[in-house]
């Protein structure tokens, strides 16, 4: 009986840093890379609102799950959209 429990623990993860109290968080997938038909457009503020928080700040990569290339594109699109006054710089 004790051998079965030991085998189950060993088979779960061969990593030396395995800790059952902490789960491994699945890495987010870039929405723009996964959907090739999705085109980022600075003239579409509804699409860009997914990438800003309620205060109007641009969300970081770890929050959006975007790759580095697309995060740069998101930032540029949000700044352009703000410049033509379609998105606010900050919420009051």
């Amino acid at each position: 009986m004790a051998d079965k429990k030991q085998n189950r623990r060993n088979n779960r993860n061969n990593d030396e840093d395995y800790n059952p109290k902490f789960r491994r968080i699945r890495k987010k997938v870039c929405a723009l890379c996964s959907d090739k038909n999705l085109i980022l457009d600075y003239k579409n503020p509804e699409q860009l609102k997914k990438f800003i928080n309620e205060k109007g700040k641009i969300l970081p990569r770890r929050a959006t799950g975007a790759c580095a290339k697309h995060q740069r594109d998101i930032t540029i699109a949000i700044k352009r959209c703000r410049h033509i006054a379609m998105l606010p710089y900050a919420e009051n």
Side-chain angles (χ1 to χ4, degrees), residues 64-80:
T64 62
C67 64
K69 175 186 171 189
H70 287 118
Q71 183 67 29
R72 287 191 296 270
D73 293 341
I74 290 166
T75 303
I76 291 169
I78 289 173
K79 288 178 181 178
R80 285 180 181 167

Side-chain angles (χ1 to χ4, degrees), residues 18-55:
Y18 175 71
N19 189 344
K21 290 183 182 179
F22 298 105
R23 288 186 346 187
R24 241 193 187 153
I25 298 172
R26 177 176 280 167
K27 189 171 181 175
K28 294 181 182 179
V29 178
C30 180
L32 298 168
C33 285
S34 61
D35 187 10
K36 298 293 182 186
N37 296 329
L38 184 64
I39 298 170
L40 196 63
D41 188 18
Y42 71 95
K43 294 173 271 186
N44 187 359
E46 295 300 319
Q47 181 187 30
L48 297 175
K49 283 183 181 178
K50 294 187 289 185
F51 302 108
I52 60 172
N53 65 6
E54 42 300 321
K55 291 185 178 182

